[in-house]
Amino acid sequence: MRFWDYLKSKAPVLLLNGAALLVLFLFLLLLDTMGTAVILIAVVWILVLAAYLAVDFLLRRKYFLELLSILDELDQKYLIAEIAKPGRRLEDRVYWEVLRRSNKSVIETIHRLENSQKEYKEYIESWIHEVKSPITAAHLICENRKDETAARMLPELDAIENEVEKVLYYARMEQVDRDYLIHPVNLRETVLSVIRTEKRHLIQCGMQIDLDMEEEMVSTDEKWVEFMIKQIFSNSMKYRRETGPRLTIRAEKGKKQKSLVIEDNGCGIAPEDLGRIFDKGFTGKNGRMTGSRATGMGLYLCRRLCEKLGIGISCESEPGQFTRMILTFPDSDFNRLTEDSPLAESR
């Protein structure tokens, strides 16, 4: 709050005082009052007005600074009326009451939306668990039938299960902190687990796997990391080359980090699309070529989950040559303790 802005807001008061002082000055002159007395009255008038404006400015400035300080400290800004005290002026108290009623309405609306969203998420999670049962049953039926139709159905059931899993992770994404456990995880075993889970689809796509990594320990939650690796595998299979598709998986050690690198030799990503592949719903040129198979949600979920888990994710690509996805895990005391243990040395 600047003094000049304050004076501009007081323009009507200043003009009224100026007009009153001019009328008084003319009236005293008509009464043949001494010039010295007239000047003295004018000076006293101006000094009193200036003192009033200065004190009022300082008090108003202090009040608004305290208000802004309270606002800055609040995580939920709309609660300002519940925390701040009303001012000493009548108009301040009226404004505070208006703000309080408005905020109360906002808070009630937010609570209704939160409850509605919570109920919707609970329904989605319940529906997902229910729909998994017939999918599992269909898997068993197809696995017990050794014919061509069953063999063709299994990859489609895998695709349905993957999409259902994405919906579940999307519904739980805002509550990751309640559903994960950070602990030492063997990154190689996590990758192998995903390969075993996706082996049927990998075989159908003719995808060759080159796993060039030893046992590496990172601090994370393997369930969420497995989901992200599945999405990367899914994209590699979806945008594979027609002949000789290959996935190369390796681990890289940095100074204070470890990286999981998953590289394919597929169609690659156009340079203009590379910066947007983690955006929600973005499919790019490759997605438009595959039609309805691309939803643009897989990598978006990976990025959001990485943000929650403190994992870095990046992509490098050359159209027609390769796509390289990199998951970077920060170093931690868990990793060092595990690697320095006698069991690690025996390996």
Side-chain angles (χ1 to χ4, degrees), residues 56-120:
D56 186 65
F57 168 75
L58 292 174
L59 291 175
R60 300 295 288 169
R61 185 172 181 272
K62 180 182 178 183
Y63 172 71
F64 287 118
L65 287 177
E66 290 176 353
L67 204 60
L68 290 172
S69 177
I70 294 173
L71 184 64
D72 291 338
E73 293 175 359
L74 282 176
D75 291 331
Q76 298 171 325
K77 309 297 184 184
Y78 57 85
L79 294 176
I80 181 65
E82 305 296 327
I83 306 299
K85 297 178 181 179
R88 56 187 176 83
R89 292 188 173 186
L90 174 61
E91 60 266 29
D92 290 342
R93 293 197 294 271
V94 172
Y95 292 147
W96 177 83
E97 181 62 23
V98 170
L99 186 61
R100 190 187 66 82
R101 292 186 183 182
S102 174
N103 286 358
K104 183 180 179 182
S105 175
V106 170
I107 293 169
E108 291 173 352
T109 302
I110 290 173
H111 286 165
R112 285 198 300 269
L113 291 174
E114 287 177 343
N115 291 333
S116 175
Q117 189 178 40
K118 181 181 177 182
E119 291 175 1
Y120 177 73

Side-chain angles (χ1 to χ4, degrees), residues 10 43-44 66 98 115 150 188 208 254 275 306 310 315 340-341 347:
K10 293 294 183 180
V43 169
V44 171
E66 290 176 353
V98 170
N115 291 333
R188 187 175 189 273
Q208 181 176 338
C306 282
C315 177
D340 292 341
S341 67
R347 292 199 302 264

Side-chain angles (χ1 to χ4, degrees), residues 43-324:
V43 169
V44 171
W45 186 306
I46 294 172
L47 288 176
V48 171
L49 178 62
Y52 166 77
L53 292 175
V55 171
D56 186 65
F57 168 75
L58 292 174
L59 291 175
R60 300 295 288 169
R61 185 172 181 272
K62 180 182 178 183
Y63 172 71
F64 287 118
L65 287 177
E66 290 176 353
L67 204 60
L68 290 172
S69 177
I70 294 173
L71 184 64
D72 291 338
E73 293 175 359
L74 282 176
D75 291 331
Q76 298 171 325
K77 309 297 184 184
Y78 57 85
L79 294 176
I80 181 65
E82 305 296 327
I83 306 299
K85 297 178 181 179
R88 56 187 176 83
R89 292 188 173 186
L90 174 61
E91 60 266 29
D92 290 342
R93 293 197 294 271
V94 172
Y95 292 147
W96 177 83
E97 181 62 23
V98 170
L99 186 61
R100 190 187 66 82
R101 292 186 183 182
S102 174
N103 286 358
K104 183 180 179 182
S105 175
V106 170
I107 293 169
E108 291 173 352
T109 302
I110 290 173
H111 286 165
R112 285 198 300 269
L113 291 174
E114 287 177 343
N115 291 333
S116 175
Q117 189 178 40
K118 181 181 177 182
E119 291 175 1
Y120 177 73
K121 285 184 176 180
E122 289 174 350
Y123 170 74
I124 290 294
E125 290 189 23
S126 174
W127 176 84
I128 289 169
H129 290 301
E130 291 295 329
V131 83
K132 278 187 174 183
S133 296
I135 293 175
T136 302
H139 265 292
L140 292 174
I141 293 171
C142 290
E143 287 173 354
N144 291 328
R145 289 173 59 91
K146 305 299 181 181
D147 55 28
E148 183 181 352
T149 301
R152 292 173 59 186
M153 282 293 296
L154 283 171
E156 300 302 325
L157 288 172
D158 289 339
I160 293 172
E161 191 169 20
N162 183 56
E163 293 302 319
V164 169
E165 193 175 40
K166 279 197 284 189
V167 174
L168 177 61
Y169 277 78
Y170 183 78
R172 291 180 174 177
M173 188 165 51
E174 298 302 327
Q175 298 164 335
V176 172
D177 55 337
R178 302 180 188 175
D179 192 32
Y180 76 84
L181 175 63
I182 298 296
H183 63 284
V185 172
N186 190 319
L187 198 55
R188 187 175 189 273
E189 289 301 320
T190 302
V191 173
L192 287 174
S193 175
V194 178
I195 292 175
R196 286 191 291 267
T197 304
E198 299 293 310
K199 65 180 180 179
R200 182 166 44 238
H201 201 184
L202 290 167
I203 292 172
Q204 185 193 36
C205 294
M207 187 72 72
Q208 181 176 338
I209 305 292
D210 291 338
L211 182 61
D212 182 20
M213 61 183 296
E214 299 179 355
E215 294 187 354
E216 298 289 350
M217 303 302 296
V218 296
S219 297
T220 188
D221 183 290
E222 69 267 30
K223 180 182 67 174
W224 299 93
V225 173
E226 282 186 12
F227 172 78
M228 290 186 281
I229 295 174
K230 282 182 184 179
Q231 300 313 308
I232 296 172
F233 277 18
S234 176
N235 280 349
S236 295
M237 289 184 281
K238 188 181 299 181
Y239 303 118
R240 67 187 183 277
R241 61 172 56 188
E242 293 296 327
T243 58
R246 180 189 300 270
L247 263 177
T248 303
I249 307 168
R250 64 182 185 273
E252 296 180 351
K253 287 186 178 182
K255 192 173 183 180
K256 291 186 178 181
Q257 62 189 29
K258 294 179 181 179
S259 298
L260 175 65
V261 182
I262 304 174
E263 180 177 332
D264 64 54
N265 62 346
C267 61
I269 302 171
E272 60 270 23
D273 291 344
L274 192 58
R276 301 178 59 194
I277 60 172
F278 298 109
D279 292 350
K280 184 178 180 180
F282 181 75
T283 57
K285 292 182 178 179
N286 293 338
R288 289 189 288 273
M289 289 172 60
T290 59
S292 60
R293 289 186 296 164
T295 62
M297 292 299 295
L299 290 181
Y300 166 74
L301 289 173
C302 288
R303 178 179 64 83
R304 291 294 305 275
L305 292 174
C306 282
E307 290 173 355
K308 299 285 186 180
L309 295 172
I311 300 172
I313 184 169
S314 60
C315 177
E316 301 170 357
S317 184
E318 186 70 33
Q321 299 296 322
F322 69 88
T323 297
R324 185 181 301 128

